[in-house]
Structures are given as structure tokens and as C-alpha cells.
Amino acid sequence: MRDLKDVRRDINAIDHEILKLFLKRMKCAEEVSDYKMEHGGQVLVPSRETELMNTMLQDIPDELKLEYSSLLRTTTRVSRKHQYARMLEAEPQRLQLDLHPRNNDPKTVYYGGLPASYADIAAKDLFPHAQRIPQNSWEDVFHAVLDGKADIGVVPVENSTAGTVNEVYDLLEQYGLYITHSHIKRIRHCIAACKGASFDTIKEVHSHPQALRQCQQYIKQHNLTPVEESNTAVAAHAIAQSGDLTRAAICSEAAARLYGLEILEDHVNDADFNQTRFIAVSRFLSTQEADTRVSLVLTLPHIVGSLYGALAVFADYGVNMTEIHSRPLRDMPWNYCFYIDFDGNLLRQDTRALIYQTMQECSYVRILGSYSVTQDSEVKA
Ligand SMILES: C=C(O[C@@H]1C=C(C(=O)O)C=C[C@H]1O)C(=O)O
């Protein structure tokens, strides 16, 4: 057996050889991209990559076929990355984004629920000068923004305990709106009921399903029956109206106060670290220098390695992906779209090249927005 040091010396020498060959191969990729710019043609040519793979695999022992396939797939993917970046630099019009100036001071902001709902409080944090208008549902918010009645809508997308708000993601796609702002709020639920109620009289807790989920253990421990309402503030308002001492609401302290309920207990959420991320949505895709986050949705062909390949592109750009989740496609059973958030800025060349490559190589891509993420002072604390 050879000494480890000697083997590693050989590995170093081999890596230097591979590096030289890699640089040579990338020069070829540059020539190919110049050719394609001059004569037209897609960067990705699957038939050529398959032919190359099949040829190369003939010369590889069986036990290393998969290892070599991985290496060649990575090589061709970064060769494409190099071509996309070069082409986009030479011809920026290859990626046309309909960018509008950011509206940071909207006149009207629509939100779901009633005054003192968490969305109302988030909307006030984001747009202190705007007129805030409550709507019965998130869909009504999206509708008002699409119609142009509302400049901006504010809706929740994600909670640190209960997870993604799927309905909002579905609406984003259905209505084709864009995210312009993102704001994280610490959520501290209280349990509130009419004057005279106590833990001896209450039997039911009313709230939004997300809030009920965030207080699941508490509800079980107190032997209460959860009842779903469209919103936390709607629940507080309804209980105040009913005067019923057997019902309580899970809502914000502000909602309990606004609707004249007494707080039976504060901070009833199971996890102390309970935060919700809200987004502001608009009809227009906008960007500004200070933006740090981009969201997009994509669909992929149903073939081996397609998700891996799409995600690997983000890693190739050294981009930090902050969120990914999938949703089923309604009209195509067992097919999914993927929602991805990542650190980037639509004005930056690397973000643009990443988006360009993704758009060229996925079956469908829509940019959902460019924005920065703010958080309230209680989140920072
Ligand atoms: C280099 C080319 O562009 C792409 C990259 C390939 C590679 O790196 O070998 C092969 C096919 C294309 O998907 C080409 O078209 O030959």
C-alpha cells in the first residue's frame, strides 16, 4: 500500500490536469455561445448532451458509470451557466422584465379580516400613512388589487409554527400578482372572552385555523373545542357581539381591547418563538437597489434529476435559497410547482443570469417579486 502523502500528491497533480482541461473546455463553451449568438440556437441542447453522455459511458467500468454521469452532468451544466452569463452580458435584452418603480407609500392597503387582525397590524407597520381597508377573505384582497381598487394588499404567507399559508400561494399564482414587501411579525396570541367569562364557563375557542394550530397543545390541555373562523379579529368581534360566556377567541391583544373582550390569558401560543411573515402584493413587478430577496415559481418536466438540476443552478451561482416548497398542480395530478425564495436583486447581473438560465431550462417560471424583508422590533429583540 502506498503512503497517503504520495497518493495525495498524485491527486493534486491530477486535479491540476483536470483544471487545465476544464479551462480549455470552458473556452470551447465560449466559442459555442458566440456561434449560437451569431447563428441562433438554444444554449441547452438535450440531444447533444445525451449523445455525449452515451459515448463517454461506453469507456467507463460499470461500477463508476453513475459517478462519471454526475461529473459530466455538472460539467455540462456549468458550461451552460457560462454561456448564459456571456450571452446575457452581450445582449441584455435576452431577459426582458417588465419592471415598475416601487410604490412604498400606497394610499390604500387592503387586508383580510377586521381592524386589529394581525394582517392589519402588519399593514400598519409597513405602510403607516395608508388607509387600511378590511376585506372578508384573502381572495377579496387579491381581487381588489387586481381590479386596481387597492394599491396594495397585505396577506400572511408563512408562520414559524404552523408553516406555509398554501391558500395565499395559490392565489398569488391564480391572480398573477407580485410581492413588493415582506414583513415578519412576532405573534403573541391571547385568549379573550366576554366580561364575566372564565375558564370555568368557556367551552369553545374560536379563531383562524392557523392560529388554532399555533395553540393546539394549549387548547388540548384546557379541554376546549376549537372552532374555525375566517380571521382572529373576526372571531373576537363575533364573540363580543354574542355575549356568550361559553366561547372565547384566540386573537391579538389589540383585537381583544378593540372589541371589548377581557383577556383570560396572554401568550397562549405553544411556541414562544411564534412569528408570521406577511407580504404586500401589487399588480406590478417592481424593484429597487435595496431589495435583497427574489421569489419565483417554477414547474419542471417529470424526468429523473429535473428538480436536482434546477436547484443545482442556484448552488452554481452561490445563491442562498431561503425557502422552497411545492404545491400540486390542479390540472395535472401528481405534478407540482415549486416556490423558491432566494437572496438576490433583479438589478444585479448574477441574479439576472440565474433567472435567465432558469427560465430557459424549466417548463414554466414566473418571478413572484423582488423585495426586502423587514421585521418588527419584537422579532429583533
Ligand atoms: C456546449 C454546448 O452547449 C450546451 C452544453 C454542452 C456541453 O457542455 O457539452 C452540450 C450541449 C448544450 O446543452 C453545445 O451546444 O455543444
Side-chain angles (χ1 to χ4, degrees), residues 45-269:
V45 186
S47 57
R48 162 71 183 148
E49 293 199 13
T50 307
E51 173 203 304
L52 188 61
M53 181 70 85
N54 292 340
T55 312
M56 298 306 287
L57 286 181
Q58 284 170 11
D59 297 333
I60 288 271
D62 280 351
E63 71 272 21
L64 286 175
K65 275 194 186 339
L66 285 174
E67 287 75 358
Y68 182 76
S69 314
S70 289
L71 179 68
L72 187 59
R73 261 201 306 273
T74 301
T75 308
T76 52
R77 197 184 62 246
V78 298
S79 139
R80 281 183 266 121
K81 173 185 187 286
H82 196 51
Q83 294 179 52
Y84 286 117
R86 192 174 164 84
M87 287 171 154
L88 194 61
E89 199 167 347
E91 298 169 355
Q93 71 281 7
R94 282 176 174 267
L95 180 68
Q96 304 260 5
L97 301 175
D98 187 15
L99 292 173
H100 293 250
R102 171 72 41 77
N103 183 356
N104 285 316
D105 200 12
K107 284 199 176 59
T108 48
V109 175
Y110 282 41
Y111 65 92
L114 279 176
S117 66
Y118 291 105
D120 180 30
I121 303 168
K124 190 178 173 193
D125 283 0
L126 279 168
F127 309 110
H129 310 300
Q131 186 191 4
R132 302 190 307 280
I133 300 170
Q135 296 292 291
N136 285 332
S137 67
W138 292 326
E139 177 141 27
D140 289 347
V141 173
F142 276 78
H143 212 95
V145 175
L146 189 68
D147 277 358
K149 265 197 280 173
D151 295 334
I152 291 281
V154 170
V155 285
V157 276
E158 194 183 356
N159 173 265
S160 57
T161 323
T164 304
V165 186
N166 287 323
E167 193 188 330
V168 166
Y169 276 97
D170 292 347
L171 288 167
L172 254 181
E173 249 322 70
Q174 204 180 318
Y175 282 79
L177 299 184
Y178 298 98
I179 305 169
T180 59
H181 300 74
S182 179
H183 185 61
I184 301 174
K185 273 209 79 59
R186 179 157 184 189
I187 303 291
R188 282 195 177 124
H189 296 300
C190 70
I191 185 153
C194 295
K195 204 172 162 90
S198 70
F199 280 105
D200 293 331
T201 67
I202 59 167
K203 301 274 177 279
E204 292 179 355
V205 266
H206 291 233
S207 200
H208 187 272
Q210 280 270 341
L212 293 171
R213 226 169 291 147
Q214 291 158 30
C215 306
Q216 218 166 13
Q217 284 168 18
Y218 182 93
I219 294 170
K220 239 192 214 149
Q221 278 159 12
H222 289 77
N223 219 7
L224 298 167
T225 307
V227 179
E228 295 189 359
E229 302 276 357
S230 62
N231 178 266
T232 53
V234 167
H237 178 70
I239 281 161
Q241 296 282 301
S242 75
D244 189 339
L245 301 187
T246 66
R247 297 188 204 160
I250 283 179
C251 59
S252 68
E253 200 188 310
R257 262 195 264 114
L258 183 65
Y259 300 111
L261 296 179
E262 303 230 307
I263 296 175
L264 298 182
E265 196 174 341
D266 209 348
H267 304 178
V268 296
N269 29 285

